[in-house]
Amino acid sequence: MNSKPSAIVMGATSGIGYEVARLLAQRGWRVGVAGRREDILAKMVAETEGIVAYGVIDVTMPSAVDGLRLLIGKMGGMDMYFHSSGIGYQNTDLDADKELKTIETNCLGMARLVGEAFRYFENHPETDGTIAVISSIARTKGLGAAPAYSASKRFTSHYLESLCQLTGIKGIRNIHISDIRPGFVKTPLIEGSNFPMQLDAGKVAASIVDGIDKRRSVITVNWIYSLLVFFWQMIPRRIWVKMRVK
């Protein structure tokens, strides 16, 4: 039996997921990576010690659940499920295709895979399981420049809070859940944008993994964004909706 803990990183082909997968491997985890781009996934397995298996999984497809189960089988079990699959657009024209794609990926896809991970750990009470999911500081307020994105991150955050409560309702003691709320990170998701205070993805990954190790239920990256969110939350709705936040 392999003594190293096993993690599966969904959305590992770029951005935060890519960096977290590599960092977990460096810190002694056996890592399985998943996403839509097989070329990147295969390269990660071939070139990174500790990344041992991959699965080509599209979270928007119902078959994604079967793909996750198959990858868990390849890994011989799972101790952590890390979900980093997400898309977003600045969409002031409310292009319906962009809005619905965002909801399909960030809400439906997230619930589909995180729900499966929850059921897995519930059915394996001998496993000390962790579910860690990327939401965003965008979950704090509705953003007129990115309506579906900010709403989807609010959905994600509330879903995770609900699952935390569900563990208590069911008396589940072996599932630990982390809601990860980064600020703006230099990833392909915001490439070419003029978002301020963009964070380095590698440093963000380190903060995330440290927070998971400490079993923090909410991880806001970094302290500047924690302060920003604190004041952001205090703005009354009647004032917020009149602000031209871009």
Side-chain angles (χ1 to χ4, degrees):
M1 180 180 295
N2 200 306
S3 61
K4 291 184 178 181
S6 297
I8 288 178
V9 178
M10 187 70 60
T13 57
S14 65
I16 294 173
Y18 178 84
E19 296 294 342
V20 166
R22 294 173 67 243
L23 184 57
L24 288 173
Q26 291 171 12
R27 294 192 180 186
W29 288 73
R30 296 177 65 252
V31 181
V33 289
R36 293 185 298 177
R37 297 188 57 183
E38 185 170 12
D39 57 333
I40 296 177
L41 297 170
K43 186 176 181 181
M44 293 176 76
V45 172
E47 296 183 353
T48 306
E49 184 178 356
I51 299 181
V52 298
Y54 74 85
V56 179
I57 299 174
D58 182 345
V59 301
T60 67
M61 302 297 292
S63 60
V65 169
D66 294 327
L68 177 57
R69 291 172 182 165
L70 181 61
L71 185 53
I72 293 172
K74 288 181 182 178
M75 298 292 294
M78 176 175 69
D79 300 288
M80 182 197 300
Y81 177 74
F82 188 93
H83 190 92
S84 187
S85 292
I87 60 172
Y89 305 93
Q90 292 191 69
N91 190 23
T92 55
D93 293 330
L94 296 183
D95 180 283
D97 186 51
K98 290 180 179 179
E99 296 292 272
L100 295 177
K101 281 183 178 178
T102 300
I103 293 167
E104 186 179 27
T105 301
N106 298 1
C107 298
L108 302 184
M110 183 279 302
R112 176 179 287 120
L113 275 301
V114 171
E116 178 61 24
F118 188 97
R119 290 187 293 273
Y120 172 83
F121 290 128
E122 183 179 12
N123 293 327
H124 293 79
E126 74 285 356
T127 300
D128 191 21
T130 295
I131 296 173
V133 184
I134 300 291
S135 62
S136 171
I137 63 160
R139 49 86 57 205
T140 310
K141 292 282 190 181
L143 298 176
Y149 180 75
S150 60
S152 72
K153 294 306 181 179
R154 187 73 169 186
F155 177 91
T156 296
S157 189
H158 276 202
Y159 191 82
L160 297 174
E161 185 175 23
S162 299
L163 292 188
C164 287
Q165 188 178 72
L166 183 58
T167 61
I169 292 171
K170 289 189 166 187
I172 298 171
R173 298 182 179 276
N174 68 309
I175 302 178
H176 310 275
I177 298 171
S178 291
D179 177 355
I180 302 164
R181 305 172 183 177
F184 301 127
V185 183
K186 295 177 183 177
T187 67
L189 185 64
I190 63 171
E191 188 174 2
S193 72
N194 58 355
F195 287 123
M197 299 188 298
Q198 294 186 25
L199 305 174
D200 176 76
K203 293 180 180 178
V204 168
S207 295
I208 289 170
V209 174
D210 289 343
I212 291 172
D213 286 343
K214 295 174 182 176
R215 293 289 172 79
R216 289 166 55 190
S217 60
V218 175
I219 303 169
T220 303
V221 185
N222 60 11
W223 71 269
I224 297 176
Y225 280 106
S226 295
L227 190 62
L228 175 65
V229 167
F230 175 78
F231 288 108
W232 209 355
Q233 290 172 326
M234 297 174 66
I235 301 174
R237 185 181 187 277
R238 67 181 183 278
I239 296 176
W240 175 257
V241 296
K242 295 178 181 179
M243 296 174 65
R244 297 185 178 182
V245 179
K246 297 183 180 181

